[in-house]
Amino acid sequence: MTIIETPSPNFDDRTLPISMIVLHYTGMQDAESAIARLRDPEARVSAHYVVAEDGTVLRLVAEEKRAWHAGASHWRDIDDVNSASIGIEIVNPGHEFGYRPFPEEQIASVIRLVGDIKDRFNITRGNIVGHSDVAPGRKRDPGELFPWHSLARLRLALPRPTKNLMDPQWTEAGFLIALERFGYDVSEKMAAIMAFQRRFRPELIDGEIDAECRMILLALLLPKPQGDE
């Protein structure tokens, strides 16, 4: 893969080993504005990589350094997600500026990049997540249009479970305990439920705990979630 070096000054030292990949959308009107902001010292934000809509990949921060992409965030037992993760910004205007499907060329490059990083750092599928997964109260990216199924088919993300589903009939409290066990910060209940739906049931993001949500979450907590990969 050809990677264009486009250095950003916005980084510091890691305090944790790399065990995660966090996917974002840029959420700005165009790629140029997003890249400029990620390289602006006053903005104090960055990512390791940016993937343009034509599939071009830029490297802004060296992988061994801690880029500033996740902000206040949590996943599983990790509170300093920036220290533990590689951050990938995917150019897309996002919900504020005209959210749209991701081009095939762009997703092909994301798949190659994620696959390479996953293999080199032995990252598990469950730790390849979206910004909304690690910061559900603040973020919606990469959003419900991101084709997680394309990554899951290549074992680069968890699949949406579709086989042998059973409803555990959890109460709301039971569902939230299970959701926290899976990895989410559930301190903002509605936001956590919607983040889970955005990732695993994107056709209906209503914040309601229904049988389908319970079945999907139970299956994800099993050792080998089964989906149409």
Side-chain angles (χ1 to χ4, degrees), residues 123-172:
I123 296 172
T124 65
R125 292 187 295 167
N127 276 354
I128 299 173
V129 295
H131 200 186
S132 59
D133 296 315
V134 302
R138 299 185 300 110
K139 297 295 181 179
R140 291 186 285 173
D141 56 311
E144 59 276 8
L145 297 179
F146 185 77
W148 285 104
H149 58 277
S150 296
L151 278 68
R153 281 198 292 265
L154 299 170
R155 301 188 66 78
L156 300 179
L158 286 173
R160 173 179 177 163
T162 58
K163 301 174 184 175
N164 304 318
L165 298 181
M166 298 178 294
D167 183 359
Q169 299 187 354
W170 290 317
T171 62
E172 177 182 286

Side-chain angles (χ1 to χ4, degrees), residues 70-107:
S73 51
H74 169 87
W75 186 250
R76 297 184 170 170
D77 59 347
I78 297 171
D79 289 319
D80 184 359
V81 170
N82 281 338
S83 272
S85 64
I86 300 286
I88 301 174
E89 289 275 1
I90 304 164
V91 173
N92 187 293
H95 292 85
E96 186 174 355
F97 295 109
Y99 190 43
R100 59 187 181 230
F102 298 81
E104 291 182 9
E105 300 89 345
Q106 186 178 42
I107 295 303

Side-chain angles (χ1 to χ4, degrees), residues 10-201:
N10 300 336
F11 62 86
D12 53 15
D13 291 330
R14 293 186 182 275
T15 59
L16 295 171
I18 294 168
S19 62
M20 298 177 60
I21 298 171
V22 181
L23 303 182
H24 309 250
Y25 63 43
T26 51
M28 297 187 72
Q29 290 176 315
D30 54 53
E32 292 75 17
S33 299
I35 294 165
R37 185 167 187 267
L38 292 166
R39 301 181 71 201
D40 179 358
E42 294 186 4
R44 297 189 63 78
V45 293
S46 62
H48 295 91
Y49 297 97
V50 173
V51 182
E53 289 184 297
D54 67 358
T56 300
V57 179
L58 312 178
R59 178 161 39 221
L60 278 63
V61 174
E63 289 178 349
E64 63 267 22
K65 296 298 183 179
R66 177 180 179 271
W68 304 337
H69 59 96
S73 51
H74 169 87
W75 186 250
R76 297 184 170 170
D77 59 347
I78 297 171
D79 289 319
D80 184 359
V81 170
N82 281 338
S83 272
S85 64
I86 300 286
I88 301 174
E89 289 275 1
I90 304 164
V91 173
N92 187 293
H95 292 85
E96 186 174 355
F97 295 109
Y99 190 43
R100 59 187 181 230
F102 298 81
E104 291 182 9
E105 300 89 345
Q106 186 178 42
I107 295 303
S109 287
V110 170
I111 285 171
R112 287 194 295 270
L113 181 60
V114 168
D116 175 62
I117 296 168
K118 179 183 186 292
D119 288 346
R120 286 190 287 109
F121 292 100
N122 295 313
I123 296 172
T124 65
R125 292 187 295 167
N127 276 354
I128 299 173
V129 295
H131 200 186
S132 59
D133 296 315
V134 302
R138 299 185 300 110
K139 297 295 181 179
R140 291 186 285 173
D141 56 311
E144 59 276 8
L145 297 179
F146 185 77
W148 285 104
H149 58 277
S150 296
L151 278 68
R153 281 198 292 265
L154 299 170
R155 301 188 66 78
L156 300 179
L158 286 173
R160 173 179 177 163
T162 58
K163 301 174 184 175
N164 304 318
L165 298 181
M166 298 178 294
D167 183 359
Q169 299 187 354
W170 290 317
T171 62
E172 177 182 286
F175 181 87
L176 292 171
I177 289 169
L179 192 59
E180 185 174 38
R181 179 183 171 193
F182 181 63
Y184 286 87
D185 174 2
V186 299
S187 57
E188 296 184 45
K189 177 181 70 175
M190 180 72 73
I193 295 166
M194 293 177 72
F196 173 76
Q197 292 172 335
R198 183 168 282 111
R199 171 68 179 81
F200 291 104
R201 209 266 305 271

